[in-house]
Amino acid sequence: MTLHDRATAGRIYYGWWVAGAFALIIFLSTGIRFTVGPFLKPVAAELGVDRGTFSLVVSLSLFLYGAFMPMVGRLVDRFGSRVVCSAGGVLVAVSLALTGTMTAYWEFVLYYGVLVALGLAATGHVVASATLSRWFIRRRGTAVSVLSAASMAGLSFLVPIAMWCILTFGWRASYVILGVGSLLITLPLSLWILRDDPSDVGLHPDGVAPEPLAEGMAPALERTTVAAALQVPAFWQLAGGLFNCGFSMSLLSAHGVPMLTDHGFHAMTASSAMGFLGLTSIGGGMALGVISDRWGRKLVLASVYLLRAGAFSLLFLVQDPVMLMIVAAIGGLGLSGSLAMSSAMTADIFGRFSVGSIFGLIFLSHQVGAALGSWLGGFLFDLTGGYGMAFGSACALLLVGAGLAATIQESRRPVATLQAQPVAGGQ
């Protein structure tokens, strides 16, 4: 059966198969990125380093994960997602296996801090968003929201799986298991399912043929250069919002449980609340994607930041375990949707063939915010003896992010992507 026959044999639009493949890849990529916590104690003890020294490598990996994204995005625009994801999957497997063999700190820096970060970037959100933005226009919000749901599922499920592996097989074997397991899933999906554009299999975006153009009109250009995008206010508004998103996410993941235990909650209660928050964000992210396709994206994005600001405030103030779980459920909606809406709006504004390069650059601001949030939370705690200033700063930044999202002028885009242009000689 030919590729075209496989793509058109069933009633399900092939783009949804691509979205499903990316969901599994993102599940693994994000989940592996967040499994570093269970490895902290055994790796630090084996290498003879303290937690601060261990965390420096994690911070380096976190920053480089974002720093590699613009490069990865450009590679996707040039060579396609199949090549980039396949190479990334191999690199993740090799670098994790090497991490399992390390005996010196410099090896930890190289294998995990640099190589794992590059491999995860090549199998991460930017690659998936850039590709799905080509497959979908009308259902773009729903499609990219699948990625957000997969991310939160990876966070919720792979962390305890990694801990079980460490307790059962040891940390060295666990790194190998994670690497080989991810390769056995990522590589076949990349080679067999992923396709970069619906035209590759004789289809159209959303599976619907475009309406015929008026006489004398050529198809709209769907690509914007980075230089042109930098001149559009929406680029900076999206980047500013994601900086604040990254700050709050990193602060919560690094300091959420310690903050709750400082406030008197049992460690298991605090951890359960964080896990429940991740689980509720799975369904919440999908619902927000459907809503955005029907009623627009920027108000959904602004609402996500507002909900998160409210959840952060309540998480800091709540004292009852039952209320804590209710707040976690609300927070799940606030944690989901920001990356999905930002990538979808990038495609809407700058064209579906520019998401890799442009959203890759926007995503870098997310990771800069993440690196700052993780470090500043600890610094402000040492300075003030509590997390009030850190969580207050996060709330203020999220309110700014909501304002930036709500004021995006989606019509302010490069002229080349705004509308079809007359054909030379046309009347």
Side-chain angles (χ1 to χ4, degrees):
M1 182 180 290
T2 66
L3 179 60
H4 179 269
D5 291 337
R6 285 197 290 115
T8 58
R11 295 183 178 181
I12 299 176
Y13 174 53
Y14 192 76
W16 292 116
W17 291 106
V18 176
F22 269 125
L24 289 174
I25 293 171
I26 293 296
F27 171 87
L28 291 167
S29 180
T30 303
I32 289 172
R33 185 157 57 94
F34 281 98
T35 58
V36 66
F39 286 96
L40 189 155
K41 288 185 177 181
V43 173
E46 181 79 15
L47 297 181
V49 298
D50 57 27
R51 296 188 186 186
T53 305
F54 178 95
S55 297
L56 285 176
V57 179
V58 178
S59 296
L60 173 66
S61 182
L62 191 66
F63 174 76
L64 289 180
Y65 176 76
F68 287 136
M69 283 299 185
M71 177 190 71
V72 168
R74 293 179 70 86
L75 291 175
V76 172
D77 287 342
R78 184 169 182 178
F79 299 108
S81 60
R82 294 177 68 202
V83 173
V84 174
C85 263
S86 298
V90 172
L91 182 57
V92 167
V94 171
S95 55
L96 284 176
L98 287 172
T99 303
T101 67
M102 64 184 179
T103 57
Y105 185 70
W106 70 266
E107 293 176 302
F108 188 31
V109 173
L110 176 60
Y111 300 153
Y112 188 87
V114 179
L115 296 181
V116 170
L118 178 57
L120 293 180
T123 55
H125 261 282
V126 170
V127 178
S129 297
T131 306
L132 292 184
S133 293
R134 300 180 183 185
W135 279 91
F136 296 91
I137 296 176
R138 299 176 184 175
R139 304 295 302 277
R140 182 174 287 155
T142 302
V144 294
S145 291
V146 171
L147 307 179
S148 294
S151 291
M152 300 314 297
L155 172 62
S156 299
F157 293 108
L158 275 192
V159 172
I161 289 174
M163 178 61 79
W164 179 85
C165 287
I166 292 170
L167 295 175
T168 306
F169 305 109
W171 70 268
R172 293 186 182 277
S174 296
Y175 270 129
V176 176
I177 291 170
L178 284 175
V180 173
S182 67
L183 181 66
L184 292 177
I185 296 174
T186 298
L187 193 58
L189 289 175
S190 298
L191 295 175
W192 183 250
I193 302 294
L194 296 189
R195 294 296 180 269
D196 299 314
D197 190 86
S199 63
D200 293 345
V201 290
L203 298 175
H204 301 285
D206 297 304
V208 179
E211 296 181 2
L213 295 166
E215 184 179 354
M217 300 296 286
L221 296 176
E222 295 182 293
R223 190 182 302 276
T224 304
T225 65
V226 171
L230 293 174
Q231 301 176 43
V232 180
F235 175 92
W236 299 103
Q237 290 169 292
L238 289 170
L242 280 187
F243 174 90
N244 301 338
C245 168
F247 182 97
S248 59
M249 283 287 290
S250 181
L251 175 67
L252 186 65
S253 62
H255 302 283
V257 171
M259 181 271 291
L260 290 173
T261 55
D262 288 347
H263 289 186
F265 289 101
H266 189 275
M268 282 305 302
T269 301
S271 299
S272 298
M274 295 297 103
F276 185 56
L277 189 149
L279 288 174
T280 57
S281 69
I282 297 173
M286 290 300 304
L288 292 175
V290 174
I291 292 171
S292 77
D293 283 334
R294 181 166 296 184
W295 288 295
R297 311 197 204 287
K298 74 175 185 178
L299 292 181
V300 171
L301 182 58
S303 299
V304 164
Y305 289 142
L306 284 175
L307 276 173
R308 194 182 304 183
F312 267 58
S313 299
L314 292 173
L315 280 173
F316 187 78
L317 297 173
V318 70
Q319 298 180 345
D320 179 72
V322 175
M323 287 301 300
L324 176 62
M325 295 301 171
I326 295 175
V327 171
I330 297 172
L333 286 175
L335 283 184
S336 57
S338 53
L339 285 176
M341 293 302 101
S342 296
S343 63
M345 291 183 72
T346 300
D348 295 342
I349 295 171
F350 300 108
R352 64 192 182 104
F353 292 106
S354 298
V355 177
S357 55
I358 294 174
F359 186 62
L361 193 57
I362 291 173
F363 188 84
L364 174 58
S365 70
H366 181 278
Q367 291 307 109
V368 172
L372 179 62
S374 179
W375 169 79
L376 192 61
F379 174 79
L380 291 177
F381 178 85
D382 292 337
L383 185 67
T384 64
Y387 284 110
M389 186 174 293
F391 274 75
S393 298
C395 290
L397 288 173
L398 288 168
L399 292 176
V400 172
L404 290 172
T407 55
I408 292 175
Q409 297 183 34
E410 295 174 272
S411 61
R412 293 282 304 277
R413 64 187 75 180
V415 175
T417 64
L418 177 59
Q419 57 188 8
Q421 302 298 312
V423 174
Q427 302 297 320

